[in-house]
Amino acid sequence: MKLKIAILAGDGIGPEVTREAVNILKAIAEFGGHDFSFTEALLGGIAITAEGTPLPKQTIDIALDADAVLLGAVGDNKFNHLTPDKRPEAGLLQIRQVLGGFANLRPCLAFPALADNSPLRPEVTKGVDILFVRELLGGLYFGQPRSWNEETGEAINTMRYTKSEVTRVARIAFDLARKRRKKLTQVDKANVLECSQLWRATVDELKSDYPDVTVEHQLVDSMAMHLMNVPRNFDVVLTENLFGDILSDESGIITGSLGMLPSATLGGKVNLYEPVHGSAPDIAGTGKANPLGAILTAAMLLRHSAGLEQDATAIEAAVAEVLNAGHRTADIARGNVGATVTTQQMGKLVHQALAQSIDRSQSLHGV
Ligand code: IPM
Ligand code: MN
């Protein structure tokens, strides 16, 4: 199969983790006889430095022309003094808008090998498999008016949603729940916010179309607590934009590290794939970054943009195997007996495990 992939590696650890993810995609192409092409483009701080804008026109063209966009991370402390519309993050928000994906899938899977790595007790994280569905194009991130008036000392952001914006992402969450354990938890702050009341009412209206899915509502504050207390109770978790941003980072505690979390954004012109972690400028270039979030993101790309479910599963299995063998990057090294590996070494280990599993399955088919 043919697949055009745009690579927006971005800032900080973005390029180093993305390199490992691309190596894995190249391996899949090679093993399966696929024709994957990769086109790099600038986004974020690196684009501001080179082109004076966080999202150059050329990047938009390359992204829109691709079958899938793989992003690394965006953000650079150098630009902290700029207003939100000029910062590297503005480029990320704009490319999300341009591509149009509104359903951001953020799986949180507790790998058994990392049980001792989470500050939560192993019996709490055991078997946890949550899929956050975060609305990505609405709410406080994009609502108008927005402003900060330094003279009057007043700042404004607007949380705004329409029923159709809620419906389209809720339907995706319902459909995903159907394919999983058939439970949907909708998160809001309906005891205070009208927007949240709209979310709750809209999801309740849709329930009759999905009689096989159990729906529960949680207020975001108590959800933050339940997530640490009984994470196993959750299957698909549907949130508006900001709540999903916060809860998905919190879920990094369950997996042992934010560096383990992948994401896929669906529903627009071109799907966008980005690990949940940020640019982590403090460790950029040190070899400490964990590429597994990016590699698992590449697996999601194969699943959702190429229909290569088997290859996606093979990558996920290779990651589990490498972890089971005791290999750890610095962020997941707690309680580890073996030596810590670098970003690149971790990428190679996954590549090896993947190659071996593909060899095994090919020799099985040959019999
Ligand atoms: C994320 C990030 C972004 C967000 C930032 C970098 C704008 O935190 O993808 O979770 O808030 O969406
Ligand atoms: Mn975030």
Side-chain angles (χ1 to χ4, degrees):
M1 91 162 295
K2 237 179 131 123
L3 203 66
K4 257 197 277 184
I5 305 171
I7 304 293
L8 316 184
D11 304 317
I13 62 170
E16 47 205 279
V17 297
T18 305
R19 202 170 301 131
E20 301 312 317
V22 168
N23 281 343
I24 296 296
L25 289 172
K26 285 184 175 159
I28 293 290
E30 197 184 314
F31 299 139
H34 304 299
D35 177 8
F36 293 175
S37 69
F38 302 90
T39 312
E40 293 183 18
L42 299 176
L43 177 76
I46 185 172
I48 299 179
T49 305
E51 309 276 342
T53 163
L55 178 61
K57 164 94 176 41
Q58 205 198 357
T59 301
I60 296 180
D61 293 343
I62 290 173
L64 282 175
D65 184 50
D67 299 311
V69 177
L70 179 64
L71 201 144
V74 163
D76 185 335
N77 293 333
K78 209 162 72 188
F79 302 107
N80 281 354
H81 62 284
L82 297 177
T83 52
D85 58 317
K86 305 238 161 29
R87 289 169 61 111
E89 290 83 352
L92 175 58
L93 299 181
Q94 282 162 24
I95 192 79
R96 285 178 181 168
Q97 265 185 318
V98 167
L99 298 177
F102 52 83
N104 180 218
L105 278 45
R106 298 191 158 190
C108 167
L109 195 68
F111 284 91
L114 296 182
D116 287 334
N117 209 71
S118 170
L120 299 174
R121 290 193 309 279
E123 65 266 31
V124 175
T125 60
K126 190 163 182 234
V128 171
D129 177 0
I130 302 172
L131 178 58
F132 290 91
V133 179
R134 170 190 176 192
E135 199 291 328
L136 204 63
L137 290 185
L140 284 165
Y141 278 64
F142 297 99
Q144 294 289 345
R146 59 184 297 160
S147 63
W148 177 18
N149 186 328
E150 288 191 56
E151 267 150 48
T152 63
E154 185 190 40
I156 299 170
N157 288 101
T158 303
M159 189 188 272
R160 175 186 177 276
Y161 271 105
T162 62
K163 188 171 174 182
S164 67
E165 283 171 332
V166 178
T167 302
R168 63 182 187 174
V169 70
R171 285 204 182 276
I172 289 191
F174 270 110
D175 285 334
L176 289 162
R178 269 200 163 151
K179 294 189 199 126
R180 294 169 47 100
R181 302 193 305 281
K182 300 187 172 46
K183 180 171 173 189
L184 178 66
T185 303
Q186 183 254 321
V187 177
D188 59 40
K189 187 71 185 167
N191 52 348
V192 178
L193 303 175
E194 283 79 2
C195 264
S196 287
Q197 289 174 338
L198 169 72
W199 272 78
R200 208 173 261 223
T202 306
V203 167
D204 277 340
E205 240 181 77
L206 291 172
K207 273 198 299 205
S208 56
D209 287 351
Y210 307 87
D212 50 330
V213 176
T214 307
V215 176
E216 71 170 16
H217 304 284
Q218 288 284 353
L219 295 171
V220 64
D221 49 354
S222 67
M223 181 65 188
M225 183 188 64
H226 292 316
L227 202 52
M228 295 296 96
N229 200 26
V230 280
R232 221 183 355 260
N233 280 0
F234 302 105
D235 178 16
V236 175
V237 176
L238 172 65
T239 75
E240 65 87 52
N241 202 345
L242 181 65
F243 297 161
D245 179 46
I246 297 169
L247 293 179
S248 60
D249 263 35
E250 191 192 10
S251 76
I253 295 295
I254 298 166
T255 63
S257 168
L258 200 53
M260 293 299 302
L261 302 180
S263 99
T265 305
L266 316 179
K269 295 191 197 94
V270 184
N271 292 342
L272 171 66
Y273 299 88
E274 45 178 321
V276 172
H277 65 69
S279 58
D282 51 321
I283 59 162
T286 64
K288 285 193 184 149
N290 183 348
L292 296 180
I295 289 172
L296 292 168
T297 298
M300 292 190 88
L301 186 157
L302 295 175
R303 171 172 295 125
H304 296 286
S305 284
L308 295 174
E309 176 61 36
Q310 275 192 1
D311 296 276
T313 313
I315 294 172
E316 288 156 357
V319 167
E321 195 183 315
V322 167
L323 293 173
N324 288 340
H327 303 294
R328 301 284 185 271
T329 43
D331 59 316
I332 47 174
R334 187 193 306 209
N336 185 36
V337 281
T340 302
V341 300
T342 65
T343 312
Q344 212 180 352
Q345 286 166 337
M346 185 55 108
K348 281 209 178 112
L349 286 161
V350 176
H351 185 282
Q352 270 165 24
L354 184 63
Q356 278 162 13
S357 84
I358 288 171
D359 272 357
R360 272 198 303 274
S361 73
Q362 279 175 353
S363 61
L364 275 180
H365 288 305
V367 174

